[in-house]
Amino acid sequence: MNPLVHQALHTETIELAQNQCLSGLLRFITAGSVDDGKSTLIGRLLYDTGNVAADQLASIQATSQKRGLAAIDWSLLTDGLIAEREQGITIDVAYRYFSTARRKFIIGDAPGHEQYTRNMVTAASSADLAILLVDARKGVITQTRRHAYLAHLLGIRELVLAVNKMDLVDWQPSIYRSIVDEFNAFVSQLGRHHVQAIPLSALNGTNVATHAEAIPWYDGPSLLEHLESIPSRRDADQTPMRLPVQRVVRVMMGNGANGATEKEFRGYQGTLASGHLHVGDEVEVMPSGQRARVTGLNIAEQALQKASADRSVVVSLDREIDISRGDMLSDPIQLPRVTKGITADVCWLSEQPLQTHGKYLIKHTTRSVNALFDDLIYRVDVNTLAHEAAPESAVMNDILRVKLKLQQPLFVDNYSDNRTTGSFIVIDPVSFHTVAAGVII
Amino acid sequence: MNSQSNDLLDQPHPSADHLDLLEAEALFILREVTAECRHPVMLYSGGKDSAVLLHLAYKAFHPERIGLALLHIDTGHNYDEVIAYRDRMAERYDCQLHVRNVEDSIRKGSVRLRHPLESRNSHQSVTLMEAIAEFGFDACLGGARRDEEKARAKERIVSVRDEFGQWEPKNQRPELWSLYNTRVAPGNHVRVFPISNWTELDVWQYIQREDIELPELYFSHLRDIVRRGDILVPVTHLTPANQGETVETISCRFRTVGDISCTAPVASTAITVADIIAETTQCLLTERGATRLDDRASDGAMEQRKKEGYF
Ligand SMILES: Nc1nc2c(ncn2[C@@H]2O[C@H](COP(=O)(O)OP(=O)(O)OP(=O)(O)O)[C@@H](O)[C@H]2O)c(=O)[nH]1
Ligand SMILES: [Mg+2]
């Protein structure tokens, strides 16, 4: 692209984004097997939307030239680690922020290599949409299925099947269609998803940010058009109110001057995991089961009448109740389950295998409890989705259904209903590493 | 009134909503770390990201006072104005301020310079690790952002460092949802970046919205510079003009403020935050690309420094 046109596009894009950002933030990730072109696609998307600064462009141009490449290697934009550039693969997720005239985006460019699945899972946990890439020459392979399964497990219901490197198969529609069919057949076994398939060439930018006129047999959207148009998820607004308490604040208000009496202020700090909270609402405090009314909602000096999901507030209540970190304020009608046993799907992320008799620490919302793996029910074969009953243990990248026994109760919802109160991580109490992630079912 | 216009009125301003979410995320992280860590500290340089982080800490703790001390690693090569600003802010926010000097590490011999005018920027890591050991900090909060640099784009929000302060980019902990694992073995610590997901534009829009005071260096002023390639090098006692270079007085501002020897200003006429926001949306160069003398040395310069304990 002509640099001047590029500059004009960039400026226009950001101005529009500031003034009329239409459909809210979209967080998406790339996924799929190693070398399928994920980083190239992101680089190309950023460039074609005017989101690559001149110095970044100059730097990757120079590196590409030094390597004797005929064209710019777009993956250099996100492959920021020295080892990644040396090996030509992505190792850990890169986060990039960009906007177009219609929307703001946060991208997580995930690695495809199986060894780094934990980093893909990290990126997927906060995403609304996943772009699953497939190399048109290779078709759907195990790693494509693994990533599709993990995206599904982590609650991503918007999928883009990007059939990439179409330039290397002469844009043959039959190749594209058979990949789409195979992928849809696999994904439909997982549950309900919305899948948009797009044939593209990340390298050439065909169907990335602009429509490919040259492909008469495809009349669907370009990748960018699709990303701009899908509605953003605000499920958390629709679910019952949950507020895990992070910290309790106690201060003396008033200074006793002019006859005013000092009064203790007590407030509960936390982020609304879901739902809405209004001044005057009744809440139930877990685990004590006591109820109180909200008398104040604050963000520093700013007093709110109402707070919605994801806002971090200080709540004050109309009576003194014993509340500490790890407790939860809840909608009194629709309560979470209080339980010392959970069933969950767990992805094992550590190189150290699961110690079936070992004690682990579970971090769930702001509460950490000791736990034992009571029962390993089955392991999932990501290729066939078959269940292998009663595995002995779990090794890195295994996905299994388990029962956990907890020393203290947790207040939980199903992950499908609530991403915050339905998820947890498993910490090894000796090494302190995060060894697994789980979703409650 | 029909329901459609009602809906429109109920909608928050979209970009305000965006800042609200970034703020909420940062408050959550600040509270998690102070609730879980034994002895956290905030690294504070007097730059704009530090200013935003300190303001966020104020909001995170309110109505309590900020439950964190501030730590500044002073290279001895800072602008006087920034040092005065630093002290003023520590007082305004009622925070204890620890200052540790690279000069002392040089005297002790733990930092060795190749030549006296060498940039002390990367040597900060040594002094920082000495301070961490001295106080026994187990968490250092900082204002680094992922959009600043390609190696930073890879770092976790809660990032583990070993006894040498080293970052192991190839072996980072998984970090899912907002479940932050702050636990580390004795001797190790975590670096925590509550504004990881903010862009330069977000930072300026937040400064505007919250009316956060900054050092005057961030706004357009007249300064003597020499041009070296596309970089405007400020003429100071540490970075004097070379023979044959023409010293010009131009209108400029800093986009990042750090050690004198490695930050350069950009030509600008922006005198208000609104002007800066307008310039930021038009700008074609990244924040560090335009202004940092330390990242230009090589492609992996930042990662290399981070592996050695730098922020
Ligand atoms: N011909 C052609 N080559 C492509 C296309 N997309 C990517 N490539 C090439 O495929 C190779 C791998 O691309 P990357 O973008 O690094 O792949 P990746 O999926 O990010 O790989 P990992 O992150 O390591 O899993 C590079 O040499 C690219 O230039 C395409 O559309 N057409
Ligand atoms: Mg990649």
Side-chain angles (χ1 to χ4, degrees), chain A residues 70-243:
Chain A
I72 291 177
D73 181 352
W74 294 107
S75 70
L76 293 170
L77 266 179
T78 52
D79 286 344
L81 298 175
I82 296 164
E84 293 179 324
R85 290 165 166 245
E86 274 169 11
Q87 296 169 43
I89 61 162
T90 305
I91 291 172
D92 212 330
V93 50
Y95 292 98
R96 291 286 306 225
Y97 310 85
F98 86 105
S99 33
T100 67
R102 305 192 54 192
R103 165 170 249 177
K104 273 191 184 345
F105 298 94
I106 300 181
I107 311 176
D109 180 28
H113 200 292
E114 191 184 339
Q115 189 187 343
Y116 305 118
T117 303
R118 59 174 181 271
N119 300 334
M120 178 272 177
V121 168
T122 290
S125 71
S126 57
D128 309 312
L129 176 148
I131 304 175
L132 271 148
L133 276 87
V134 172
D135 183 330
R137 297 168 304 175
K138 296 188 204 150
V140 176
I141 56 178
T142 304
Q143 192 64 351
T144 323
R145 295 195 186 92
R146 184 193 310 280
H147 278 185
Y149 188 77
L150 286 167
H152 164 78
L153 198 73
L154 291 165
I156 299 175
R157 295 294 173 262
E158 280 289 342
L159 299 177
V160 174
L161 172 67
V163 181
N164 188 31
K165 308 199 186 182
M166 284 300 291
D167 55 302
L168 296 179
V169 296
D170 299 327
W171 292 93
Q172 290 176 63
S174 59
I175 293 184
Y176 169 72
R177 285 189 190 120
S178 73
I179 290 173
V180 173
D181 290 346
E182 192 181 349
F183 185 80
N184 280 335
F186 178 77
V187 166
S188 62
Q189 291 172 264
L190 297 175
R192 275 213 330 216
H193 294 87
H194 178 238
V195 182
Q196 173 70 54
I198 305 175
L200 49 83
S201 167
L203 192 67
N204 303 333
T206 324
N207 255 347
V208 176
T210 48
H211 247 300
E213 310 289 334
I215 310 156
W217 51 265
Y218 175 78
D219 57 7
S222 70
L223 177 64
L224 181 64
E225 276 174 333
H226 180 66
L227 294 176
E228 285 181 331
S229 65
I230 71 145
S232 50
R233 275 171 58 139
R234 295 297 306 162
D235 312 0
D237 279 342
Q238 259 75 81
T239 27
M241 198 284 294
R242 308 279 184 256
L243 189 143

Side-chain angles (χ1 to χ4, degrees), chain A residues 11 15 18 54-55 82 84-85 92 95 97 119 122 125 246 269 301 310 312 325 363 415 432 434, chain B residues 24 28 32 36 58 60 64 153-154 156 172-173 175 177 180-181 197 205 282 284 286 299 303:
Chain A
T11 310
E15 275 172 2
Q18 274 195 300
D55 55 306
I82 296 164
E84 293 179 324
R85 290 165 166 245
D92 212 330
Y95 292 98
Y97 310 85
N119 300 334
T122 290
S125 71
Q246 280 191 289
Q269 299 183 328
E301 291 92 351
D310 298 328
S312 295
R325 172 174 168 83
K363 186 171 184 188
Y415 187 70
F432 301 117
T434 306
Chain B
F28 178 81
E32 278 302 280
E36 292 201 339
Y58 165 77
E64 286 180 352
K154 297 268 167 182
R156 299 285 184 261
Q172 299 196 84
R173 273 185 189 168
E175 185 171 82
W177 302 289
Y180 300 106
N181 177 1
N197 288 325
Q205 287 177 335
Q282 310 275 326
L284 295 172
T286 62
D299 222 17
E303 181 180 347

Side-chain angles (χ1 to χ4, degrees), chain A residues 11-23:
Chain A
T11 310
E12 182 193 7
T13 308
I14 292 186
E15 275 172 2
L16 279 165
Q18 274 195 300
N19 301 331
Q20 50 186 77
C21 194
L22 296 176
S23 27

